[in-house]
Amino acid sequence: MRQERVHVMAGNAFAISDAQGDVEGDPTAPTGLFSWDTRFLAHWVLRIDGERLQALSRDDVTYFETRFFLVPGTASHYVDADVSVIRHRSLNDSFNERLIVLNHSPEPAELTVRMEIGTDFADIADVTKPGSVRDRRVEVVPDSQLRQLRLRYRRERFGREAVVTSTEPVEVDERGMTFRAQIEPHGQWETDLHVGMTVRGEGDRDMRADLATHRLHVHRDMREDLRGWLERAPTLVTDNNSLQGTYQRSLVDLAALRYEPLSSLERMPVGGLPWAMSLYGRDALVTCLQTLPFTPELAPVVLRLLALLQGGQLDDTYEEEPGKILAELRYGEAAAFGHEPTTMYYGAADTTPLFVILLDEYERWSGDTDLVRELRHPARLALDWIDEYGDSLGDGYVRYQRRNRHQGLVNQCWKDSAEAITDRDGRQPEAPRATCEVQGYAYAAKLRGARLARQVWGDPEYGDRLEREAAQLKQRFNTDFWLADRQYYALALGPDGAPVDALTSNLGHLLWSGIVPAERAGALAEHLLGPDLLSGWGVRTLAAGQRVYNPVGSHLGAVWPWDNAIVASGLRRYHFDAEAARIADGMFAMAARIGGPAPEVIAGYPRTLTKYPVQLPIAGHPQAWSSGGLLMLLATVLGLRPCGDDLLVRPALPAGLGQIELLDIPGKWGRSDAYGRDRADGVPTRRPGLS
């Protein structure tokens, strides 16, 4: 049976252990203490008199703090245990573990407390690939007098260091620390084991905060920051306890997934735990779009940093092109030495139009025209990229093709697994590929750029041009991608213009973008809500019945919360309110059943078959765009939309959700409230049409 994993996290640092708090070296699993894409601790095992400990219970105080309650030995010792142990773990820039050993006996106790310590300084990119973690020459310097164990690794200018110190006298050797604890009857012994980390190379950062600073930051600053984050978000009032729990959990998860890149002093969302604890352009842009009614402070930070890192040259290694928006930013050894092209990787066809979409949507909500003026040049460069470098064949479509012959992504859309873009019979098109949803994003980016040009940049001629180009793209797209015999759009076009005829969730993205004519929206809604695509929990990435359908295939039949949030929003745009409510209902039910952070992806099994959302081993959690997706679904069923200086509210709630109030929604109007109540007879479907 799979061992339970326990995590604490702060920024892009995280520690993952077993249920007892121990970490044992596993080259294929992200266990250990990680920061800046490097594993600083790979072995962290506690023993009392040579015995491992067993868990009694755990108290997850916050996302950055947890307590393990343990006893030595086997489960048979639980009833009469004379000794118990509390491990109080906390994480900010540094890692701290307070060990409290309690003697429950009327006699004094003399115990040997041993913490085994080791590391491999593995890159997170290596951990994702079985067998690729290489041996590193780690320098280990024990010093009993200073009560510290120093672990170092250096390769040219790249350096990482972890220093473990104790507040109590200790015998230190190359494999750990040993304490001789003498405890009075019914007394206790304790020490703090503090791990400071140092990053050297491109952008040095010394994270060796002393224990007093760590305690102050964790117990005051971080808790106050979380409290302020929650207080700034709208208040949800509902008798539906599961929805209330989902809302609070999503906000807390988003708080946990904020970090400060080395190039910025402001926090922005990472992708998610454990594989994406860094800046991912697509994930960050989508998360900001999802959370504008709730946590709008994320958007300007993301927009400014992505503008700063915008492509400025042609570079095949990193897939960089002038105007292109970043796909991924990494700090590990693999990135630093070119083993992975991820120092700054630009291999994504959708981040660039999404950048313009977010800039416009943020202004609609906030009224922050100063930021739109500030980012005018990056936005225009992004719009230029769509037509110049994005349209590699000159046929008017944004396409992608991997230019790095040895590394990088074959599929540079959100469905980025190698086998994701396939037709109904499993055939994959040649490159360059034009996926349908990217054309929808490009269409939306042009229309939104046209609005900004007219209303903010004072350039109506440019706005007229963008609007004409958008209309031409819409007409061309609806001719070339539409499969009349199947009544849906092709997933993609190959370089010869041949359609890839798979039925996928991408149809919902097309509705969200607005590129679909109103008379075709009904057919798409029927497909999205049909049994082949809708699992009962949500819309599958690929419809059942096709040759390569696989309910546990990441992009071949599994269900992604963020994807479903976009689908539901697209359905509401075309007034398919009942259909959007059904998807939201399934996603809320999924979140309630799981109870913890929303996973990145769940299996596409029919809900009637499994009765429970099946999580996939590859799925990370928490994930920013999964937590943000649940918030977006709430905004969607409430029908929240900025309209000039006012907030438009048009609720269409799933049956059984009851009455909900969302109070103090931030925007250019200041703060506004939204109210909604479900209907006992369900939500009526409106006639198709554009909103």
Side-chain angles (χ1 to χ4, degrees), residues 76-325:
S76 62
H77 294 179
Y78 285 5
V79 176
D80 300 318
D82 290 331
V83 173
S84 64
V85 178
I86 301 173
R87 303 174 77 165
H88 186 160
R89 179 171 296 171
S90 55
L91 179 64
N92 61 346
D93 276 351
S94 57
F95 173 90
N96 194 76
E97 184 157 299
R98 171 167 288 186
L99 301 178
I100 303 173
V101 184
L102 300 150
N103 177 17
H104 305 300
S105 168
E107 302 296 329
E110 293 186 3
L111 303 172
T112 300
V113 180
R114 170 76 174 172
M115 182 66 80
E116 300 171 0
I117 304 168
T119 190
D120 56 4
F121 288 109
D123 191 296
I124 188 69
D126 293 338
V127 179
T128 64
K129 301 170 185 174
S132 65
V133 175
R134 64 185 189 85
D135 291 332
R136 292 171 173 84
R137 183 177 294 178
V138 177
E139 180 185 0
V140 182
V141 183
D143 192 323
S144 297
Q145 185 174 358
L146 293 177
R147 305 177 184 177
Q148 74 175 24
L149 179 64
R150 187 180 295 271
L151 308 164
R152 295 175 179 153
Y153 171 67
R154 178 167 288 278
R155 180 183 175 190
E156 299 175 15
R157 292 171 54 196
F158 182 90
R160 297 292 185 265
E161 182 177 77
V163 181
V164 186
T165 57
S166 166
T167 55
E168 288 295 306
V170 62
E171 301 165 16
V172 187
D173 59 67
E174 291 189 348
R175 296 188 177 183
M177 295 181 164
T178 303
F179 303 88
R180 312 297 177 183
Q182 298 183 353
I183 312 176
E184 295 297 317
H186 301 292
Q188 69 181 52
W189 172 92
E190 65 183 60
T191 188
D192 281 279
L193 296 179
H194 193 68
V195 184
M197 297 169 283
T198 303
V199 171
R200 302 196 187 282
E202 294 299 327
D204 291 358
R205 181 165 291 193
D206 190 337
M207 298 172 288
R208 292 175 296 178
D210 59 44
L211 180 57
T213 302
H214 174 90
R215 286 176 175 168
L216 182 64
H217 192 208
V218 167
H219 296 302
R220 188 194 68 184
D221 298 343
M222 294 179 76
R223 290 183 183 180
E224 288 181 359
D225 175 76
L226 177 57
R227 187 181 306 113
W229 170 267
L230 295 174
E231 288 176 352
R232 290 192 298 276
T235 299
L236 179 66
V237 179
T238 176
D239 292 331
N240 189 312
N241 292 332
S242 64
L243 181 64
Q244 184 68 256
T246 295
Y247 181 67
Q248 291 299 317
R249 176 83 249 180
S250 297
L251 289 173
V252 171
D253 289 344
L254 287 166
L257 292 166
R258 295 171 297 161
Y259 90 125
E260 293 178 7
L262 293 177
S263 53
S264 173
L265 295 178
E266 296 184 89
R267 285 177 295 177
M268 61 192 62
V270 296
L273 190 75
W275 309 115
M277 294 295 285
S278 191
L279 175 62
Y280 280 70
R282 180 187 301 113
D283 298 43
L285 290 163
V286 169
T287 300
C288 291
L289 281 165
Q290 294 168 333
T291 58
L292 285 173
F294 305 94
T295 58
E297 64 201 67
L298 296 174
V301 185
V302 167
L303 286 165
R304 284 193 173 98
L305 184 62
L306 290 177
L308 177 67
L309 301 176
Q310 187 173 31
Q313 62 183 351
L314 289 172
D315 188 320
D316 287 353
T317 300
Y318 298 98
E319 309 276 356
E320 182 180 0
E321 294 165 342
K324 201 173 188 182
I325 296 298

Side-chain angles (χ1 to χ4, degrees), residues 503-507 524-546 549 551 557-561 563-565 567-568 571 577-590 602-610 633:
L503 175 59
T504 69
S505 62
N506 294 37
L507 302 180
L524 302 192
E526 287 186 20
H527 284 297
L528 289 165
L529 275 293
D532 289 343
L533 273 175
L534 188 65
S535 75
W537 301 112
V539 176
R540 301 179 177 103
T541 45
L542 182 74
Q546 300 173 97
Y549 165 73
V559 174
W560 292 63
D563 185 29
N564 276 262
V567 172
L571 287 165
D577 298 342
E579 290 80 356
R582 280 186 64 190
I583 292 171
D585 185 57
M587 284 284 104
F588 291 150
M590 177 276 296
I602 63 171
Y605 297 118
R607 183 173 176 178
T608 53
L609 175 65
T610 63
L633 286 163

Side-chain angles (χ1 to χ4, degrees), residues 479-627:
T479 299
D480 296 343
F481 277 77
W482 182 246
L483 304 175
D485 57 333
R486 301 188 185 276
Q487 290 293 289
Y488 62 78
Y489 292 93
L491 168 61
L493 296 184
D496 58 356
V500 179
D501 64 353
L503 175 59
T504 69
S505 62
N506 294 37
L507 302 180
H509 293 241
L510 298 176
L511 294 173
W512 179 73
S513 72
I515 200 170
V516 178
E519 63 271 15
R520 289 181 176 172
L524 302 192
E526 287 186 20
H527 284 297
L528 289 165
L529 275 293
D532 289 343
L533 273 175
L534 188 65
S535 75
W537 301 112
V539 176
R540 301 179 177 103
T541 45
L542 182 74
Q546 300 173 97
R547 183 173 182 180
V548 293
Y549 165 73
N550 181 351
V552 297
S554 179
H555 300 118
L556 297 176
V559 174
W560 292 63
W562 95 270
D563 185 29
N564 276 262
I566 293 288
V567 172
S569 179
L571 287 165
R572 283 228 66 187
R573 176 172 185 155
Y574 286 80
H575 301 295
F576 290 98
D577 298 342
E579 290 80 356
R582 280 186 64 190
I583 292 171
D585 185 57
M587 284 284 104
F588 291 150
M590 177 276 296
R593 290 287 185 91
I594 288 175
E600 183 179 25
V601 57
I602 63 171
Y605 297 118
R607 183 173 176 178
T608 53
L609 175 65
T610 63
K611 309 297 183 184
Y612 191 86
V614 177
Q615 299 189 62
L616 303 182
I618 62 166
H621 60 85
Q623 292 283 303
W625 64 358
S626 292
S627 298

